[in-house]
Amino acid sequence: MDILTHVGVGCALAAPLWAEHPVVAASFLLGNALPDADVLARLGGKRAFLAAHQTLSHGAPTAALLGLVWAWGLGALGLEEGAWAAGVALSAGMILHATLDWTNTFGVTLAAPLSWRRRCAEWIFFIDAGAIALTLGALAWIVARWPSPGGWPSGIYAASMGAWWLCRAALRRRAARRAPEGTITLVPSAWHPLRFYGVAEAEGAVELFTLRLGRGVERRRRVLVYDAEFIRALEKVPEWRAMRRLSPAYHAVEVERAEAHETWLTCRDLRTRNFRSTRYGELRVRLQHGEAASWTLRI
C-alpha cells in the first residue's frame, strides 16, 4: 500500500491509546510507516533500490528484532515503564504493514532474511479506493471526538477494514475461476471492485484482458514479446533480471532496428494497467552487434 494509507491505518488503530499510553501509540504508528524507509535505498542507485524495496524491512524477523531494540532503547533512555509494550507495538505495526503489502500485487519477502522469496496475494491494488475511503472516514470520526475518541471508532474501523479485505480476497478467488486458461497474473482495479486486469501466456506473445465479474472477459489484446529472440543479451542486464524477479509479466515488447548493427529494445511490466500513463519499470536497452551496449530504467 502507499505510505499515506499505512500511516492512516496506524493513526486510526492507535487512537484509543494516545491519552494514557502515548509512547505505545507512537510506537505502533512508527511501525506502520517504518518498513517503507527502504525507499532510502534509492540513494544507492536504481539497482540498490530494486534489490532492497519490500525485502528486509518487510520481514517478520526484522520486525521482531527492531521491536527488541526499540524496547531496550526506550529503557536505556529512562522510559522503563511501558518500554516492552512499546517494543511489541512497533513490531506489530511493522508486521501489519508487511501483511497489508502481501495482499497487494508487487510481492514482499515476509520471511527475510531467512528467505528472499517474494510473495503476493493480488487481493487488492496498492492504491484502493475502498481502503482509502474507510481510513479517511475513521480519521474524521476520531478527530471529531478528539481528545477522547474512545475505542468505538477504531474498533468499527478495524472490523470494517477486515471485512473489506476478506471481500476483496473472495472476489479475487472468484475472478481466478473465471479467468482464461494460462493466466499468470490478475491485478485488481484500484477503483472498481469487480474489475481485474489479467495477463495470459500465449506462444510468442501474451494476451492482455480485462475481466469484469458479472460480465466476463472483455477487451482482449494480443501483445508480441521478443524475450526469446534477445534473451542472451537481456540476461546480461542487471535491471532486466531484477524486474523479471518482480513481475511474471515483464517482457521485451518493442524492437527498433536503428542501423545495421544497432537495435533498441523496450521492456515493460504488462501487469499494472490501473494507471494508463505510467512508465514505471520501463527499460530501454541499446544493442550493438547483438550485445547490450547501454540501458536506462525508469523507477
Side-chain angles (χ1 to χ4, degrees):
M1 300 177 70
D2 65 285
I3 183 62
L4 292 179
T5 304
H6 279 301
V7 171
V9 170
C11 288
L13 294 179
L17 300 173
W18 281 105
E20 297 184 6
H21 306 284
V23 175
V24 175
S27 298
F28 181 73
L29 176 57
L30 177 61
N32 273 271
L34 191 57
D36 279 349
D38 62 10
V39 71
L40 296 175
R42 285 180 178 270
L43 299 175
K46 296 177 181 179
R47 294 182 193 176
F49 175 72
L50 289 174
H53 187 47
Q54 294 188 327
T55 57
L56 187 62
S57 65
H58 287 64
T62 301
L65 177 61
L66 289 183
L68 291 172
V69 172
W70 185 249
W72 175 84
L74 292 176
L77 292 174
L79 301 175
E80 291 90 351
E81 184 177 355
W84 286 107
V88 171
L90 182 84
S91 296
M94 293 185 68
I95 291 172
L96 175 60
H97 177 123
T99 302
L100 293 178
D101 281 352
W102 168 76
T103 67
N104 295 165
T105 56
F106 287 100
V108 296
T109 57
L110 292 175
L114 303 179
S115 170
W116 297 101
R117 182 181 176 184
R118 288 182 179 267
R119 296 176 172 86
C120 67
E122 290 189 339
W123 291 354
I124 197 165
F125 193 57
F126 77 93
I127 293 176
D128 181 77
I132 292 172
L134 288 172
T135 303
L136 290 177
L139 292 175
W141 190 7
I142 289 167
V143 169
R145 294 168 60 97
W146 200 262
S148 301
W152 278 106
S154 297
I156 292 176
Y157 170 70
S160 300
M161 284 288 275
W164 178 246
W165 248 257
L166 290 176
C167 176
R168 296 308 301 265
L171 291 173
R172 173 61 176 75
R173 287 195 295 270
R174 184 179 174 190
R177 291 195 294 268
R178 288 161 173 74
E181 184 178 355
T183 296
I184 58 173
T185 181
L186 200 58
V187 174
S189 167
W191 316 109
H192 306 286
L194 302 182
R195 181 180 296 169
F196 296 82
Y197 302 105
V199 180
E201 293 180 326
E203 187 175 352
V206 296
E207 183 180 62
L208 309 185
F209 63 90
T210 299
L211 187 152
R212 188 179 299 185
L213 293 177
R215 295 189 182 182
V217 175
E218 55 189 18
R219 299 181 187 175
R220 292 177 180 262
R221 180 164 66 94
R222 187 179 177 87
V223 177
L224 295 178
V225 296
Y226 303 93
D227 305 8
E229 182 179 353
F230 299 100
I231 192 63
R232 188 173 64 87
L234 287 172
E235 286 185 338
K236 295 180 180 179
V237 178
E239 286 79 358
W240 160 265
R241 298 196 302 269
M243 291 302 301
R244 285 288 294 179
R245 287 193 294 269
L246 289 173
S247 171
Y250 193 79
H251 295 287
V253 295
E254 294 179 12
V255 179
E256 304 170 38
R257 303 188 189 277
E259 299 176 3
H261 301 294
E262 183 175 274
T263 302
W264 286 85
L265 302 180
T266 300
C267 309
R268 296 193 185 97
D269 185 359
L270 299 176
R271 297 182 312 157
T272 305
R273 305 200 298 280
N274 277 287
F275 307 120
R276 295 182 180 180
S277 61
T278 184
R279 298 176 67 184
Y280 180 90
E282 182 180 271
L283 177 66
R284 291 273 292 170
V285 182
R286 183 171 64 91
L287 304 180
Q288 286 188 327
H289 301 282
E291 298 292 334
S294 63
W295 54 85
T296 58
L297 175 71
R298 289 177 177 268
I299 61 171

